[in-house]
Amino acid sequence: MPAKKLKTPVSSGLSVRDGDALLLVGTMKGLFLFASRPGRRRWSMAGPFFPGSSVYGAAFDARAGRKRIWAAPSSMHWGAELAWTDDFGRTWERPEVPLVRFPESSGAALKNIWQIAPGRASEPDTLCCGVEPAALFESRDAGRTWQLNAGLWGHPHREKWQPGGGGLALHTILVDPADQGRITIAISTGGVYRTDDGGRTWAARNRGVRAEYFPDPNPEFGQCVHKVVQHRAKPGRLFLQNHWGLYRSDDGGDTWTDIANGVPSDFGFCMGIHPQDPDTAYIVPLHSDMFRCTPDGKLRVYRTRDAGKTWQPLTRGLPQKNALETVIRDAMAVDSLDPAGIYFGTRSGKLYGSRDEGRSWTLLQEGLPPIVCVKAAVVANSRAKKRAGNVRGRARGTAPRRVRRKRAA
Amino acid sequence: MAVRFLIPGPLRPFSGGVSSVALTASPATVGDALAALRALHPGLTERVLTEMGDVRPHVNLFVAETNIRDASGLATRVPDGAEIAILPAVSGG
């Protein structure tokens, strides 16, 4: 007698109030949502959404009064698409014809959507997304229609970009909050590129970033840049985690300085930057590109508070033995509250969080599918900041409790 | 008799929930049948074919018992009254 087929897990949405902290956690088997009051002591979870599809890209768009979550489920069978919810997952919009499609003239087909980036606050209907094969798509009508950025697609370097282990992907998009014409992107493997004219032309910005896998370790392009982060209030300040190499730029990427000072390894993927302090950044070093696990079986986040002159391990609440973990490029996020919350997810499906800027950590959820992206946001930011300030005293040094699961899948 | 597509469960949100779709046209090939299907349910064809018009690598199309990859691909002939099954490959992870 054939086995009874199980129903695909279905989850209702998340109950979210103004001021709540929100986490979007993309995994290899769907998207999960987490919400907490601004003190971030208890988290509720909903998901999986899009069970069976990997979700490498997710974003929360709070501009123009929206409370919209974008997600990029990618089915091995049926392809990648953009979907969105305006009610925290109760209902999702999935257009019949996927929104992001390569034009026929490009000769390309979409493999995955790696990044979704809302545009500037002053341009509330603009969005970008980065895809595989490496390309940038833009929308100027709040996501209803998307166009391939022709300047980058037509770049003469493009035919020499090479796929890394995860494919040839445009995985990082930094829309400069101040300079209306500037967007910085990163491609594995192609390196950092920047436009200063709104996307018409792009130039490589990899000076000082090494590529150890080429005969010339200092090429103009071809670096395997894993992640770049930018400070919102000081947009010239960038940190870069390379495939071997840790860097800082103080000139918007024109030049890069090696800042791998005192880290156990300068190989890694993920990176976060403090929302208020441009000198503070977070990484999770990995042993090597041949191993790609945390060194010595210790799960350590390293933090610099002096722009990379020194780095200190943050271990309180993190396992310090038998923890051969991997945190990939988009699996770390920082919220905008004060004190800042730092979050990361592992390939083994563990989600960790700190609500005291990394001093202490809590395992928020385990048993998830492999985590490939973590995004943090605050719903109705102005109220949230006020409330977070109210709880700052009692939050300091106190680890939040584990996740209260809202509804089992 | 009409050519009919058999729709797998994951794609039924794009077929109005039904498990099969009959074409009113009489397509000569699988490619023609998919074009006719696109006019009825564009979401189905979009998830079977890439933007380049190729069958997605982890999707199989069977005309009766024949996988079109073992025949003439999208040029595989479709007999009158045939059923074309859209099936996900066993790939996964």
mmCIF file of all heavy atoms in Angstrom, chain A residues 92-109:
data_model
loop_
_atom_site.group_PDB
_atom_site.id
_atom_site.type_symbol
_atom_site.label_atom_id
_atom_site.label_comp_id
_atom_site.label_asym_id
_atom_site.label_seq_id
_atom_site.Cartn_x
_atom_site.Cartn_y
_atom_site.Cartn_z
ATOM 1 N N TRP A 92 0.617 36.148 0.179
ATOM 2 C CA TRP A 92 1.761 36.495 -0.672
ATOM 3 C C TRP A 92 1.282 36.737 -2.097
ATOM 4 O O TRP A 92 0.389 36.045 -2.583
ATOM 5 C CB TRP A 92 2.797 35.362 -0.680
ATOM 6 C CG TRP A 92 3.550 35.219 0.604
ATOM 7 C CD1 TRP A 92 3.184 34.484 1.691
ATOM 8 C CD2 TRP A 92 4.797 35.836 0.937
ATOM 9 N NE1 TRP A 92 4.137 34.605 2.681
ATOM 10 C CE2 TRP A 92 5.135 35.422 2.247
ATOM 11 C CE3 TRP A 92 5.680 36.688 0.253
ATOM 12 C CZ2 TRP A 92 6.304 35.840 2.892
ATOM 13 C CZ3 TRP A 92 6.836 37.096 0.893
ATOM 14 C CH2 TRP A 92 7.141 36.684 2.196
ATOM 15 N N GLU A 93 1.888 37.686 -2.729
ATOM 16 C CA GLU A 93 1.634 37.955 -4.146
ATOM 17 C C GLU A 93 2.733 37.284 -4.965
ATOM 18 O O GLU A 93 3.930 37.526 -4.722
ATOM 19 C CB GLU A 93 1.644 39.461 -4.421
ATOM 20 C CG GLU A 93 0.541 40.214 -3.720
ATOM 21 C CD GLU A 93 -0.814 39.956 -4.336
ATOM 22 O OE1 GLU A 93 -0.868 39.574 -5.513
ATOM 23 O OE2 GLU A 93 -1.824 40.123 -3.622
ATOM 24 N N ARG A 94 2.318 36.431 -5.886
ATOM 25 C CA ARG A 94 3.269 35.768 -6.799
ATOM 26 C C ARG A 94 2.765 35.999 -8.218
ATOM 27 O O ARG A 94 1.856 35.293 -8.676
ATOM 28 C CB ARG A 94 3.332 34.266 -6.530
ATOM 29 C CG ARG A 94 4.015 33.880 -5.248
ATOM 30 C CD ARG A 94 3.960 32.384 -5.064
ATOM 31 N NE ARG A 94 4.779 31.685 -6.056
ATOM 32 C CZ ARG A 94 4.728 30.370 -6.259
ATOM 33 N NH1 ARG A 94 3.887 29.626 -5.575
ATOM 34 N NH2 ARG A 94 5.502 29.793 -7.159
ATOM 35 N N PRO A 95 3.276 36.984 -8.911
ATOM 36 C CA PRO A 95 2.783 37.253 -10.269
ATOM 37 C C PRO A 95 2.918 36.025 -11.170
ATOM 38 O O PRO A 95 3.881 35.271 -11.059
ATOM 39 C CB PRO A 95 3.684 38.384 -10.753
ATOM 40 C CG PRO A 95 4.164 39.042 -9.503
ATOM 41 C CD PRO A 95 4.291 37.945 -8.491
ATOM 42 N N GLU A 96 1.908 35.859 -12.030
ATOM 43 C CA GLU A 96 1.952 34.712 -12.946
ATOM 44 C C GLU A 96 3.219 34.719 -13.782
ATOM 45 O O GLU A 96 3.892 33.711 -13.920
ATOM 46 C CB GLU A 96 0.730 34.752 -13.880
ATOM 47 C CG GLU A 96 -0.480 34.067 -13.302
ATOM 48 C CD GLU A 96 -1.354 33.514 -14.398
ATOM 49 O OE1 GLU A 96 -1.022 32.457 -14.945
ATOM 50 O OE2 GLU A 96 -2.363 34.154 -14.713
ATOM 51 N N VAL A 97 3.510 35.880 -14.350
ATOM 52 C CA VAL A 97 4.750 36.014 -15.112
ATOM 53 C C VAL A 97 5.787 36.619 -14.172
ATOM 54 O O VAL A 97 5.583 37.719 -13.657
ATOM 55 C CB VAL A 97 4.548 36.919 -16.344
ATOM 56 C CG1 VAL A 97 5.868 37.100 -17.093
ATOM 57 C CG2 VAL A 97 3.493 36.324 -17.258
ATOM 58 N N PRO A 98 6.863 35.890 -13.884
ATOM 59 C CA PRO A 98 7.852 36.412 -12.937
ATOM 60 C C PRO A 98 8.313 37.817 -13.303
ATOM 61 O O PRO A 98 8.489 38.151 -14.483
ATOM 62 C CB PRO A 98 8.988 35.389 -13.050
ATOM 63 C CG PRO A 98 8.303 34.115 -13.418
ATOM 64 C CD PRO A 98 7.188 34.537 -14.345
ATOM 65 N N LEU A 99 8.500 38.629 -12.273
ATOM 66 C CA LEU A 99 8.812 40.039 -12.500
ATOM 67 C C LEU A 99 10.200 40.242 -13.088
ATOM 68 O O LEU A 99 10.415 41.140 -13.900
ATOM 69 C CB LEU A 99 8.707 40.797 -11.169
ATOM 70 C CG LEU A 99 7.327 40.846 -10.534
ATOM 71 C CD1 LEU A 99 7.401 41.417 -9.122
ATOM 72 C CD2 LEU A 99 6.384 41.685 -11.387
ATOM 73 N N VAL A 100 11.137 39.431 -12.645
ATOM 74 C CA VAL A 100 12.527 39.600 -13.094
ATOM 75 C C VAL A 100 12.809 38.550 -14.161
ATOM 76 O O VAL A 100 12.806 37.349 -13.881
ATOM 77 C CB VAL A 100 13.500 39.452 -11.904
ATOM 78 C CG1 VAL A 100 14.938 39.504 -12.387
ATOM 79 C CG2 VAL A 100 13.238 40.560 -10.883
ATOM 80 N N ARG A 101 13.012 39.028 -15.369
ATOM 81 C CA ARG A 101 13.280 38.141 -16.502
ATOM 82 C C ARG A 101 14.341 38.786 -17.373
ATOM 83 O O ARG A 101 14.287 39.997 -17.628
ATOM 84 C CB ARG A 101 12.037 37.938 -17.376
ATOM 85 C CG ARG A 101 10.805 37.483 -16.651
ATOM 86 C CD ARG A 101 9.590 37.439 -17.547
ATOM 87 N NE ARG A 101 9.482 36.186 -18.305
ATOM 88 C CZ ARG A 101 9.699 36.061 -19.586
ATOM 89 N NH1 ARG A 101 10.044 37.115 -20.307
ATOM 90 N NH2 ARG A 101 9.586 34.896 -20.170
ATOM 91 N N PHE A 102 15.279 38.025 -17.827
ATOM 92 C CA PHE A 102 16.237 38.557 -18.797
ATOM 93 C C PHE A 102 15.529 38.782 -20.130
ATOM 94 O O PHE A 102 14.725 37.938 -20.551
ATOM 95 C CB PHE A 102 17.398 37.581 -18.997
ATOM 96 C CG PHE A 102 18.472 37.695 -17.953
ATOM 97 C CD1 PHE A 102 18.464 36.885 -16.833
ATOM 98 C CD2 PHE A 102 19.485 38.636 -18.089
ATOM 99 C CE1 PHE A 102 19.442 36.998 -15.869
ATOM 100 C CE2 PHE A 102 20.471 38.753 -17.132
ATOM 101 C CZ PHE A 102 20.456 37.938 -16.019
ATOM 102 N N PRO A 103 15.807 39.903 -20.774
ATOM 103 C CA PRO A 103 15.228 40.087 -22.109
ATOM 104 C C PRO A 103 15.810 39.066 -23.087
ATOM 105 O O PRO A 103 16.935 38.595 -22.911
ATOM 106 C CB PRO A 103 15.645 41.521 -22.475
ATOM 107 C CG PRO A 103 16.808 41.847 -21.601
ATOM 108 C CD PRO A 103 16.636 41.034 -20.348
ATOM 109 N N GLU A 104 15.014 38.740 -24.083
ATOM 110 C CA GLU A 104 15.443 37.718 -25.030
ATOM 111 C C GLU A 104 16.779 38.082 -25.680
ATOM 112 O O GLU A 104 17.623 37.221 -25.925
ATOM 113 C CB GLU A 104 14.363 37.548 -26.108
ATOM 114 C CG GLU A 104 14.422 36.234 -26.837
ATOM 115 C CD GLU A 104 13.214 36.042 -27.742
ATOM 116 O OE1 GLU A 104 12.117 36.469 -27.350
ATOM 117 O OE2 GLU A 104 13.399 35.498 -28.839
ATOM 118 N N SER A 105 16.975 39.376 -25.891
ATOM 119 C CA SER A 105 18.198 39.812 -26.569
ATOM 120 C C SER A 105 19.444 39.561 -25.737
ATOM 121 O O SER A 105 20.557 39.552 -26.260
ATOM 122 C CB SER A 105 18.104 41.313 -26.890
ATOM 123 O OG SER A 105 17.925 42.051 -25.687
ATOM 124 N N SER A 106 19.274 39.340 -24.448
ATOM 125 C CA SER A 106 20.442 39.149 -23.584
ATOM 126 C C SER A 106 21.065 37.771 -23.772
ATOM 127 O O SER A 106 22.236 37.561 -23.462
ATOM 128 C CB SER A 106 20.038 39.319 -22.121
ATOM 129 O OG SER A 106 19.207 38.244 -21.712
ATOM 130 N N GLY A 107 20.282 36.828 -24.224
ATOM 131 C CA GLY A 107 20.787 35.469 -24.358
ATOM 132 C C GLY A 107 21.015 34.783 -23.025
ATOM 133 O O GLY A 107 21.755 33.809 -22.948
ATOM 134 N N ALA A 108 20.377 35.286 -21.984
ATOM 135 C CA ALA A 108 20.591 34.726 -20.644
ATOM 136 C C ALA A 108 19.261 34.310 -20.037
ATOM 137 O O ALA A 108 18.192 34.785 -20.448
ATOM 138 C CB ALA A 108 21.276 35.741 -19.746
ATOM 139 N N ALA A 109 19.356 33.426 -19.057
ATOM 140 C CA ALA A 109 18.177 33.000 -18.303
ATOM 141 C C ALA A 109 18.477 33.125 -16.814
ATOM 142 O O ALA A 109 19.574 32.806 -16.361
ATOM 143 C CB ALA A 109 17.812 31.557 -18.655
#
